[in-house]
Amino acid sequence: MLRLLHLLTMFFVIALSTVAHAEDEVTLFNGIGKADAYIAVDDELTIYLWGGKPVAYLEKDSSGGYHVYGFNGKHLGWFVKGFIRDHEGNASCATKEAMSSTEYETYKAYKQYKPYKAYTQYAPYRPYFSNSFGDTPCLFLLGEGGK
């Protein structure tokens, strides 16, 4: 009986830590609603691919959003109102709240070590944002930051 109580206690501790951990992450979905990446809020706003590779990070901009920079220093786009947008202003990724429907989130791989941040490119002017997803898939856009 004591062993069962101990196992149940461990289960609840693990379950609670998983819930707390999930609150520190924002899932990014592609145009068809599949989870491709996530923002680790408690990890300096680092963007990880679903497979655990750190590829980019967010840096506050003066217009009320965030620049998306790859660890290689490339300016990839902007994160504004739940969407990551490319240099043409089209959406590539979006949060669950910004999308009308999404697929079930599968388990994520463990986070890999973050590389050092390279010197950043000068950010271009923001384009007008479109109301649709563009031709650049979420994985491709964010993957450019890890090269």
Side-chain angles (χ1 to χ4, degrees), residues 44-76:
E44 300 175 335
L45 299 176
T46 300
I47 300 175
Y48 290 86
L49 298 182
W50 210 250
K53 182 179 182 181
V55 290
Y57 59 94
L58 302 179
E59 190 174 279
K60 195 119 175 100
D61 71 6
S62 60
S63 300
Y66 294 88
H67 292 287
V68 180
Y69 281 105
F71 279 101
N72 58 8
K74 285 184 181 179
H75 185 270
L76 304 175

Side-chain angles (χ1 to χ4, degrees), residues 85-130:
R85 298 186 179 271
D86 61 18
H87 288 157
E88 285 76 44
N90 297 313
S92 286
C93 313
T95 62
K96 187 175 208 153
E97 294 76 24
M99 303 229 6
S100 56
S101 68
T102 58
E103 292 180 10
Y104 179 76
E105 296 176 34
T106 59
Y107 287 105
K108 295 185 281 286
Y110 289 107
K111 292 178 186 175
Q112 297 174 14
Y113 288 106
K114 290 191 302 186
Y116 291 107
K117 294 177 182 176
Y119 289 106
T120 56
Q121 284 180 337
Y122 180 74
Y125 288 108
R126 268 194 200 178
Y128 290 107
F129 291 155
S130 73

